Amino acid sequence: MAKPIEDAPQLDDQGPDAPVDLHAAYREARAKSPVVRNSLGMVIGLRGRQIETIVSDVTRQMESETLMMQGVTSGPMWELRQNSILFSNGDAHRRRRQPLSRTFAFKLMEGMRPRAAQVAAELVTENKAKGEVDFLNDVSANIPARIIADILGIPREDLPYFKGLVEEAVSSLGFFDQTRRAQLEANAVEFGDYVGKLLDDRRKNPRGDFLSEFAAATKEAGEMSEAEIRADVVALIVAGSDTTKNSIAMTLNLLLDHPDQWARLKADPDGMKKGAAAEGLRYEPVALGVPRFSVTPFELDGYEIPANRLVIFSILSACRDPEFYANPDSFDISRTDHPRWHFAFGGGAHRCLGEALARVEIEETLATIAKLAPNTRRTGPPPAMKAAPIRGVDQLHVAFG
């Protein structure tokens, strides 16, 4: 018989007393129970198998709850959230995901590999003679920005403006500074208008690129409103920018912190790039977890989860789960025990659509640095990852060599 969730151990991973090392906190918690509660009353699932078996009919994606908690129930940010694939469920999610699934398939994204390698080479070459480089902002952030700009057909001269729109949009996804609400609302309008102009151009002048195919696919299906179509593109840009930027930076830092692993990559960049990317995504995933609401009572590893409860399936914990990984606290780019579906990209119906492109960008960037700048070294303090829903690297400075 399932135990009430109130009997699950409590893990205090929030607030000023939060453990600095969340990995250690989750390792200790996993030894006690596959499910814990935190001080905010959230249920946290700690096992990889829980992400593998996310069931959409007993839980649902978070929708507009975080906005409502901040007093936002109307306006541009609200409208964008209401129409977004990222915050939808059921039929709305299916309609919004299908056209993107067709155009962002793994095979199509593999075709971006030469372009990703070229962009990485451009950035390494541009920055190699500068001495100390702000890798996070001048290199890592520009990899997904330039590639998504190329996919969307955005002129290179628009990149600084485009990156500004993306950064503001990312900052509005969670809990934001209330004094900046008007600015974030204005950015939501501006971003939507910018995407709308791109779509209008492709409808009039198709180029055979992603955006042209997406515009044609949504027109053919005839199931999405113009607001949903724009929100889909905005979501694609936002989701594929910040997460990839941080994953590239943290994985490079991990390699530099483990000289034996960096040597393995340098010895065979093309042979080891996939393993290096997969291990970086596992060892320090950017997304902390998969947040879901229970729509009906269900059992989770021996505990009864009531309806209308926030459940976080912890990606951070799953990626160090000894049920899946041998020596899970060891960073090893030769690891062969990654599950078929990497936990870093979530699970269920909302598994990250941009997984294939993100992998290509991370892999080609690491391989390019290993080839063109094998003596790269970190020049500042090691980066820290903030414990937020989407973990951000605070800084990373290197010298290419």
Side-chain angles (χ1 to χ4, degrees):
M1 182 176 176
K3 294 177 284 189
I5 190 58
E6 286 71 25
D7 289 353
Q10 182 163 322
L11 171 73
D12 185 12
D13 63 342
Q14 303 291 328
D17 297 324
V20 174
D21 186 351
L22 279 176
H23 291 297
Y26 285 154
R27 182 170 58 248
E28 182 179 346
R30 278 194 308 269
K32 299 175 182 177
S33 173
V35 180
V36 295
R37 297 171 298 126
N38 67 12
S39 57
L40 300 178
M42 300 174 187
V43 177
I44 304 177
L46 300 176
R47 293 296 190 178
R49 61 175 179 261
Q50 297 163 348
I51 293 178
E52 286 190 320
T53 57
I54 290 174
V55 181
S56 295
D57 60 351
V58 296
T59 66
R60 67 165 175 83
Q61 181 80 342
M62 291 183 69
E63 295 178 350
S64 300
E65 286 82 6
T66 54
L67 286 182
M68 289 189 287
M69 290 168 67
Q70 297 172 92
V72 179
T73 56
S74 62
M77 281 196 294
W78 176 264
E79 291 300 321
L80 190 61
R81 186 74 60 94
Q82 291 292 99
N83 288 292
S84 175
I85 183 178
L86 299 178
F87 304 98
S88 58
N89 289 284
D91 184 61
H93 179 256
R94 179 197 61 76
R95 287 188 294 103
R96 295 165 183 172
R97 188 178 177 97
Q98 192 170 28
L100 285 174
S101 297
R102 289 171 53 184
T103 46
F104 252 65
F106 268 73
K107 187 174 180 180
L108 291 174
M109 290 304 101
E110 274 294 311
M112 292 299 298
R113 196 172 286 279
R115 180 59 185 144
Q118 180 184 349
V119 168
E122 290 171 0
L123 287 165
V124 171
T125 303
E126 288 171 17
N127 287 279
K128 194 169 183 180
K130 293 181 179 179
E132 183 173 88
V133 175
D134 180 350
F135 183 83
L136 182 67
N137 295 305
D138 292 345
V139 180
S140 190
N142 276 311
I143 299 290
R146 288 191 184 183
I147 291 173
I148 202 73
D150 288 345
I151 288 174
L152 299 176
I154 295 171
R156 186 60 61 87
E157 58 268 23
D158 281 3
L159 262 178
Y161 171 71
F162 172 69
K163 284 176 63 181
L165 292 175
V166 173
E167 288 165 6
E168 287 288 86
V170 168
S171 67
S172 72
L173 289 179
F175 290 93
F176 55 83
D177 181 352
Q178 288 287 333
T179 64
R180 301 190 64 244
R181 177 172 171 178
Q183 185 177 347
L184 294 173
E185 297 273 18
N187 185 75
V189 174
E190 196 170 352
F191 205 163
D193 289 346
Y194 184 80
V195 168
K197 290 176 183 175
L198 291 174
L199 285 164
D200 288 342
D201 174 67
R202 292 309 191 285
R203 287 166 180 147
K204 295 172 184 174
N205 307 292
R207 303 182 190 176
D209 57 6
F210 159 76
L211 203 57
S212 299
E213 291 183 18
F214 177 69
T218 52
K219 181 179 180 181
E220 178 185 334
E223 293 186 310
M224 292 173 62
S225 68
E226 182 65 17
E228 288 177 312
I229 294 170
R230 290 189 184 192
D232 248 14
V233 178
V234 169
L236 176 69
I237 295 168
V238 171
S241 299
D242 201 58
T243 51
T244 305
K245 172 187 80 173
N246 286 291
S247 292
I248 290 171
M250 182 48 73
T251 303
L252 177 63
N253 177 69
L254 287 168
L255 287 163
L256 297 179
D257 264 354
H258 295 80
D260 59 326
Q261 302 300 309
W262 180 228
R264 285 185 182 183
L265 179 63
K266 289 191 294 182
D268 185 10
D270 288 320
M272 296 302 299
K273 62 188 178 186
K274 291 190 176 183
E279 185 67 344
L281 288 163
R282 182 196 74 85
Y283 200 79
E284 289 293 359
V286 171
L288 267 180
V290 181
R292 305 282 294 180
F293 272 106
S294 56
V295 296
T296 186
F298 73 102
E299 184 176 332
L300 180 62
D301 268 328
Y303 288 94
E304 183 68 25
I305 311 298
N308 302 313
R309 196 70 174 264
L310 179 59
V311 183
I312 309 292
F313 296 96
S314 175
I315 289 174
L316 197 72
S317 179
C319 284
R320 302 274 183 111
D321 187 345
E323 288 184 4
F324 287 84
Y325 303 103
N327 302 314
D329 294 314
S330 173
F331 179 75
D332 180 6
I333 68 172
S334 300
R335 184 179 293 278
T336 59
D337 52 6
H338 290 288
R340 180 185 177 195
W341 300 107
H342 202 301
F343 296 136
F345 296 98
H350 284 79
R351 183 176 175 83
C352 178
L353 263 173
E355 174 181 354
L357 181 58
R359 284 179 180 268
V360 164
E361 291 171 338
I362 299 167
E363 291 162 10
E364 294 306 323
T365 301
L366 297 176
T368 297
I369 296 171
K371 292 173 185 176
L372 300 184
N375 297 316
T376 294
R377 58 186 175 84
R378 195 175 63 222
T379 55
M385 294 192 85
K386 294 163 282 186
I390 299 298
R391 305 165 78 211
V393 175
D394 61 347
Q395 57 75 38
L396 178 61
H397 290 78
V398 305
F400 288 128

